[in-house]
C-alpha cells in the first residue's frame, strides 16, 4: 500500500528518470486526500474502469487496490511503459494498458458493456476528449466520468445561461448529461505545480431519448455562438435558410444573443431548421 504519495511520486520520478513534458500536460497528482476523494467518488469496486493518462501510475494503483473488476489505462507517452509493465506484473488478471493517443483511439474495439471513466486529464485535450466521449455514447456506454480539468473548463461546462462562460461547451455537455463539480484542487497537489487551479467534475449521462440529429444541433449551436456579441438573427443568417421564419417557428426573439437561449431553445431551432431544410424553405 502506498502511504506517502509525495515521496512515492518523487521516488518513481527518480527511479524511471521521468522528465515531465509540458506539451503532454504532465502534472502528476500526489495529494492523498484528493486521490482518495476521486476513488470514493468513482466507487471503483467491481466496476470496469478506463483511465486516461496513467503516467507514473499512482491513481492507477489506487484504482486496482480498491478492487476494480478491470482497468484499461490509455497513455500516449511510451516512456511510462516501464512502470506500467511493473503494475501489469502485479495485477496480471485485471489490468491492461495501451500506449495510444486517446483522441484517435477507436472505442469500437472495446468489449465490456459499461465503463466508468477516470482521469487527471492533460489540460490540452480536456475539451476535445469530453466532446469525443459525449459523441461516442452510441458506440460504448459509460456510466460516469470523473475528471480533473482546469478550473476554467469546469466553469465553462457548468455555466448558467446568461453568463460569460455559457457557450457551446456548456450546451453540448448538458444536453444529455448531469454535471457536478466535486472539488477544487490547488497547484500544490501536483508535481510539477501547474500555473492554474483545477476542479474535479462528474459527468453522468441522463439517457434521455432526444430524438434529434446531434450533428445538426451541434452545427446550430456553433453558428449561434460564432460571434457572441451579435444578435442571434445575424449569426443564423450564415445558414442558407429563412432566418426570420426559423426563429418565429422556434419562438425565439431574433434580437437576443445566443448566451440568453437555453438548451430547449437550441433544440427548437435545430428541429425547425431540419424541417425547413427538408421543405426547401
Ligand atoms: N494520471 C497521472 C496523475 O494523475 O498523476 C498523470 C496525469 S497527467 C495530468 C496527464 C497524463 O496524460 C500524462 O501521463 C500524459 O502523458 C497523458 N497524456 C497526454 N496526452 C494524452 C493523450 N492524447 N492520450 C493519452 N494520454 C495522454
Amino acid at each position: 500500500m502506498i502511504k506517502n504519495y509525495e515521496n512515492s511520486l518523487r521516488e518513481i520520478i527518480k527511479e524511471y528518470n521521468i522528465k515531465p513534458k509540458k506539451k503532454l500536460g504532465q502534472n502528476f497528482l500526489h495529494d492523498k486526500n484528493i486521490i482518495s476523494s476521486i476513488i470514493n467518488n468513482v466507487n471503483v469496486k467491481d466496476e470496469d474502469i478506463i483511465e486516461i493518462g496513467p503516467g507514473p501510475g499512482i491513481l492507477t494503483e489506487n484504482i486496482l487496490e480498491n478492487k476494480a473488476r478491470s482497468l484499461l489505462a490509455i497513455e500516449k507517452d511510451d516512456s511510462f511503459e516501464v512502470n506500467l509493465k511493473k503494475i501489469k506484473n502485479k495485477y496480471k488478471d485485471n489490468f491492461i494498458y495501451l500506449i495510444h493517443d486517446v483522441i484517435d483511439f477507436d472505442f469500437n474495439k472495446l468489449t465490456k458493456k459499461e465503463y466508468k471513466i477516470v482521469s487527471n486529464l492533460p489540460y490540452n485535450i480536456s475539451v476535445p476528449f469530453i466532446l469525443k466521449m459525449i459523441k461516442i455514447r452510441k458506440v460504448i456506454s459509460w456510466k460516469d466520468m470523473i475528471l480533473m480539468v482546469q478550473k476554467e473548463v469546469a466553469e465553462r461546462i457548468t455555466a448558467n445561461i446568461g453568463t460569460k462562460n455559457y457557450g457551446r461547451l456548456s450546451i453540448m455537455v448538458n444536453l444529455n448529461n448531469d454535471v457536478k463539480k466535486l472539488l477544487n484542487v490547488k497547484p500544490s497537489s501536483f508535481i510539477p505545480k501547474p500555473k492554474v487551479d483545477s476542479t474535479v467534475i462528474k459527468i453522468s449521462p441522463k439517457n434521455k431519448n432526444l430524438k434529434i440529429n446531434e450533428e445538426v444541433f451541434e452545427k446550430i449551436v456553433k453558428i449561434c455562438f460564432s460571434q457572441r456579441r451579435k444578435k442571434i438573427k445575424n449569426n443564423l443568417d450564415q445558414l442558407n435558410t429563412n432566418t426570420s421564419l426559423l426563429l418565429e417557428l422556434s419562438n425565439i426573439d431574433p434580437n437576443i444573443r445566443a448566451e440568453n437561449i437555453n438548451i430547449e431553445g437550441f433544440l427548437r431551432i435545430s428541429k425547425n431548421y431540419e424541417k425547413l431544410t427538408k421543405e426547401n424553405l
Side-chain angles (χ1 to χ4, degrees):
M1 173 73 91
I2 300 163
K3 292 260 161 37
N4 183 334
Y5 298 138
E6 184 166 1
N7 286 343
S8 308
L9 182 56
R10 289 195 193 284
E11 276 163 27
I12 296 173
I13 289 176
K14 203 167 154 200
E15 183 181 345
Y16 298 106
N17 193 19
I18 296 168
K19 306 224 166 13
K21 299 180 180 106
K22 207 172 165 190
K23 72 172 193 321
L24 290 179
Q26 291 180 354
N27 301 96
F28 308 123
L29 184 61
H30 64 71
D31 189 317
K32 195 175 167 136
N33 293 330
I34 307 287
I35 293 175
S36 304
S37 175
I38 292 176
I39 297 288
N40 291 338
N41 273 296
V42 179
N43 204 354
V44 299
K45 191 165 182 292
D46 297 331
E47 298 285 351
D48 296 308
I49 311 275
I50 300 176
E51 188 198 1
I52 311 306
I58 292 194
L59 186 58
T60 318
E61 279 215 64
N62 265 269
I63 295 170
L64 290 161
E65 276 171 11
N66 283 278
K67 306 212 175 336
R69 180 166 46 210
S70 72
L71 171 60
L72 163 67
I74 305 174
E75 171 59 61
K76 181 171 178 174
D77 186 351
D78 63 5
S79 60
F80 290 115
E81 199 158 6
V82 195
N83 66 288
L84 292 173
K85 254 188 198 145
K86 212 164 160 185
I87 301 176
K88 174 73 188 161
N89 283 338
K90 203 163 145 196
Y91 295 93
K92 286 196 176 62
D93 297 335
N94 53 347
F95 178 57
I96 299 178
Y97 69 86
L98 296 172
I99 301 296
H100 210 290
D101 185 328
V102 72
I103 299 296
D104 309 334
F105 182 70
D106 179 4
F107 280 86
N108 263 313
K109 290 182 186 151
L110 301 184
T111 52
K112 298 264 185 338
K113 281 205 183 84
E114 203 164 37
Y115 293 89
K116 284 187 174 182
I117 294 169
V118 187
S119 184
N120 169 15
L121 277 175
Y123 294 142
N124 54 329
I125 64 156
S126 54
V127 171
F129 172 74
I130 292 169
L131 291 175
K132 170 174 177 154
M133 295 316 287
I134 281 164
K135 278 188 197 151
I136 63 166
R137 280 220 63 232
K138 290 185 191 117
V139 178
I140 66 150
S141 181
W142 47 267
K143 280 191 217 174
D144 289 323
M145 292 202 284
I146 308 285
L147 306 172
M148 171 99 70
V149 295
Q150 213 173 324
K151 192 172 169 206
E152 172 259 325
V153 171
E155 276 163 7
R156 280 166 60 204
I157 291 176
T158 54
N160 289 326
I161 181 169
T163 61
K164 74 170 184 345
N165 282 324
Y166 181 74
R168 185 173 153 227
L169 186 61
S170 347
I171 291 162
M172 293 314 295
V173 177
N174 285 278
L175 175 64
N176 205 6
N177 300 282
D178 286 317
V179 185
K180 250 201 236 162
K181 275 194 208 171
L182 298 179
L183 54 148
N184 287 329
V185 186
K186 290 277 164 214
S188 56
S189 297
F190 302 87
I191 300 173
K193 287 183 197 158
K195 289 203 174 73
V196 290
D197 285 359
S198 305
T199 303
V200 179
I201 55 169
K202 178 175 180 175
I203 303 180
S204 317
K206 282 188 199 153
N207 287 323
K208 269 199 304 197
N209 185 359
L210 288 170
K211 293 193 186 119
I212 54 152
N213 180 332
E214 282 175 40
E215 269 170 39
V216 172
F217 181 81
E218 194 175 6
K219 174 177 160 179
I220 293 289
V221 174
K222 200 171 169 186
I223 284 182
C224 288
F225 280 97
S226 56
Q227 297 196 57
R228 288 186 72 95
R229 310 300 303 159
K230 273 195 175 178
K231 291 174 184 171
I232 185 80
K233 183 186 177 318
N234 295 340
N235 278 333
L236 282 171
D237 277 343
Q238 296 170 60
L239 291 169
N240 205 2
T241 193
N242 183 337
T243 314
S244 305
L245 179 60
L246 173 61
L247 288 169
E248 197 186 324
L249 289 173
S250 311
N251 199 17
I252 302 280
D253 176 348
N255 296 315
I256 61 172
R257 294 186 183 131
E259 66 192 29
N260 292 312
I261 299 174
N262 62 15
I263 293 182
E264 285 66 35
F266 284 108
L267 282 168
R268 291 198 300 276
I269 300 175
S270 172
K271 281 180 188 163
N272 286 318
Y273 171 70
E274 270 188 85
K275 221 156 87 188
L276 293 183
T277 322
K278 267 186 210 137
E279 289 163 12
N280 252 336
L281 289 170

